[in-house]
Amino acid sequence: MASALAHRVRIIGGRHRGRIIRFPAAPGLRPTPDRVRETLFNWLGQDLDGWRTLDLYAGSGAMSLEALSRGAGLAVAVDRNPLLVRAFAETAKALGATGLEAHAAEAQAFVGRESRVFDVVFLDPPFDSDPWAELLPACAPRLAPGGFLYAEAPRQLAAPDGFAGWRHAKAGAVHYHLFRNAAAVIS
């Protein structure tokens, strides 16, 4: 029997706090748990007023919707599953959350053709893949000065060239990291 809580997470902060995000079942989908999102947004700060975010493995859309709830001006959410993309776009519309740009695309292809810069890039690829050697360097040019690179992985990751580990924690089997431009860490 499926759990009544399956295929849903809640927004944990900001103007949409407590609202539920529902999403279809999808193989390998592993939404970031509430506790991890709460820690991440404590690290980033509660007020993301005007921030631009990029989520390359959006899945449920929770990271982008959480950022919009906290004032982000633009949340670009990318997932290869069009059903998931449609679901989080509909959720944003139902919430009245403006600023979501939803794309059905492969993450690495999308970041390869993207030219904008973002204040934070969220990376949570499927755990059965290991794209880090190419993905982290590909995302680095997409960060604004002082921007953050967030990564979830089944193991601890090393900071990409030019970046420093800003924060790291582990919850169950999930290692989550926040990297920052090394120049921003020194300043």
Side-chain angles (χ1 to χ4, degrees):
M1 177 179 217
S3 164
L5 299 178
H7 314 302
R8 58 187 261 173
V9 295
R10 68 182 176 91
I11 297 174
I12 57 170
R15 68 179 161 266
H16 303 299
R17 181 181 182 183
R19 300 288 299 269
I20 300 297
I21 300 167
R22 288 181 173 77
F23 49 90
L29 182 62
R30 185 187 35 76
T32 300
D34 289 3
R35 180 177 139 210
V36 172
R37 277 185 291 117
E38 183 174 14
T39 300
L40 168 63
F41 284 95
N42 284 337
W43 291 345
L44 292 172
Q46 298 299 313
D47 182 5
L48 304 184
D49 191 39
W51 282 35
R52 298 166 318 262
T53 69
L54 172 62
D55 186 355
L56 288 173
Y57 298 88
S60 69
M63 292 296 213
S64 293
L65 294 168
E66 192 79 52
L68 290 170
S69 181
R70 294 164 187 265
L74 173 67
V76 177
V78 179
D79 199 276
R80 67 181 176 196
N81 185 327
L83 295 175
L84 293 172
V85 173
R86 188 172 24 258
F88 59 70
E90 288 171 1
T91 298
K93 186 176 179 181
L95 293 173
T98 59
L100 180 70
E101 189 179 297
H103 299 274
E106 291 291 332
Q108 290 182 317
F110 186 90
V111 78
R113 65 180 177 267
E114 180 59 66
S115 62
R116 294 173 287 185
V117 295
F118 300 89
D119 299 292
V120 63
V121 174
F122 301 113
L123 301 170
D124 182 10
F127 274 14
D128 62 355
S129 68
D130 191 15
W132 301 108
E134 299 84 27
L135 187 60
L136 291 171
C139 290
R142 301 288 49 91
L143 286 172
F148 295 94
L149 190 56
Y150 172 77
E152 277 185 40
R155 62 182 169 83
Q156 189 165 356
L157 301 173
D161 287 344
F163 283 77
W166 184 253
R167 300 281 190 272
H168 169 260
K170 185 175 185 253
V174 178
H175 286 266
Y176 53 108
H177 314 73
L178 196 58
F179 301 114
R180 195 160 193 202
N181 182 298
V185 173
I186 294 169
S187 331

